[in-house]
Amino acid sequence: MSESTASATSLRHLMRAANHATLATIAGGHKQVTDGWPVTSMVVPAIYIDGTPLLLISELADHTRHILADDRVSLLFTPPPTLADGDAMIETDTARLTVFGRALRDDTPAIRACYLRANPDAAQYADFADFGFYRVSVDAAYWVGGFGKQRRLSGDKLILPNCKALIDGHDGIVAHMNADHMDALSGIVGHFTTADPNGGWQMQSIDCDGMVLTANSVDTTPLRIDFPTPVRTPDEAREILVKMCKIWRA
């Protein structure tokens, strides 16, 4: 990702690709440092349909106690590592994105469903009394793409506005594609990715930037396919999927 291509869309792509993030909170009642000290921890986020970061955290954790006292946080996202020869982990990109915002408790069904779709193993503890879902209301973001490459933008530029129709229509889109258009999903997989198109692909989720597909085999990693342009409504999602099908069939 070069400086010229560090668009809000590409920065959301970076967040969606990350398999973890570094959370920074402001210490309050910490056992080792005084109040106001910056404290970091590793968290596993999900990214909402419009690009908003979501967290599932326990009140037993220091970072949650800090948030309850002062909800200002930062999240650092980096691209996921890849496997090199000998299964050694290497970083393929130095790009990183820091998101500044406020972590707000939000246990609404749509937030919960989005987080658990992205992190299904979390269902094992999501209902524990000490756990809660939080969304990070983004105030600003800062991207660094390497030496001399950076971009600063406000939260309302990073998070895509006017996505309520897509949020409300999410489940209907997924159900329709899986009931009537699995052949189209297979064709899209075959044309736009290197994955086996005959994997029995179904749509797991859709968001403003793309979709996540799952295969018949539980051993197959869910596959993310980004859209060429963002979508905000079910009609826009349908239009872009039709275009992708036309490209596949051409």
Side-chain angles (χ1 to χ4, degrees):
M1 187 190 303
S2 68
E3 183 176 12
S4 61
T5 61
S7 64
T9 299
S10 64
L11 297 183
R12 291 194 302 272
H13 288 176
L14 190 158
M15 290 196 295
R16 296 187 192 279
N19 51 26
H20 68 275
T22 301
L23 172 69
T25 56
I26 301 168
H30 197 282
K31 295 179 180 179
Q32 294 174 281
V33 296
T34 56
D35 290 357
W37 206 282
V39 180
T40 58
S41 56
M42 193 276 283
V43 291
V44 179
I47 306 302
Y48 198 40
I49 292 172
D50 63 357
T52 298
L54 307 179
L55 302 173
L56 174 61
I57 49 180
S58 168
E59 292 178 5
L60 301 178
D62 287 336
H63 51 235
T64 309
R65 292 196 294 269
H66 299 165
I67 288 170
L68 294 176
D70 188 329
D71 60 12
R72 291 175 295 171
V73 301
S74 297
L75 281 167
L76 175 66
F77 294 90
T78 56
T82 58
L83 285 174
D85 291 341
D87 290 345
M89 301 301 286
I90 61 170
E91 293 292 342
T92 58
D93 196 340
T94 59
R96 58 267 193 195
L97 175 70
T98 301
V99 172
F100 307 91
R102 295 181 181 272
L104 308 171
R105 181 74 180 255
D106 191 335
D107 293 305
T108 54
I111 297 294
R112 173 190 173 88
C114 179
Y115 188 91
L116 294 180
R117 280 194 301 267
N119 303 291
D121 288 346
Q124 301 175 66
Y125 51 82
D127 291 324
F128 289 1
D130 57 295
F131 275 86
F133 295 92
Y134 289 75
R135 57 181 171 83
V136 178
S137 178
V138 179
D139 291 321
Y142 176 50
W143 171 77
V144 176
F147 183 76
K149 298 178 181 179
Q150 63 179 15
R151 184 183 179 194
R152 301 177 188 271
L153 66 164
S154 60
D156 60 358
K157 300 298 183 184
L158 177 65
I159 308 304
L160 195 70
N162 304 320
C163 286
K164 187 176 186 304
L166 186 63
I167 292 170
D168 292 343
H170 176 276
D171 292 353
I173 297 170
V174 171
H176 173 66
M177 291 300 297
N178 292 336
D180 299 332
H181 298 294
M182 285 184 62
D183 58 332
L185 295 175
S186 296
I188 289 172
V189 168
H191 183 87
F192 291 94
T193 80
T194 59
D196 180 2
N198 299 312
W201 295 98
Q202 291 192 317
M203 183 181 287
Q204 180 194 66
S205 62
I206 189 169
D207 54 65
C208 69
D209 297 309
M211 58 183 173
V212 176
L213 308 180
T214 56
N216 282 337
S217 172
V218 295
D219 296 327
T220 302
T221 303
L223 178 66
R224 178 167 184 86
I225 301 177
D226 290 322
F227 295 146
T229 56
V231 299
R232 293 178 172 84
T233 68
D235 284 344
E236 290 179 356
R238 180 185 59 80
E239 290 172 5
I240 211 160
L241 288 167
V242 168
K243 288 179 181 178
M244 293 174 80
C245 285
K246 289 181 178 179
I247 293 172
W248 149 55
R249 291 191 174 106

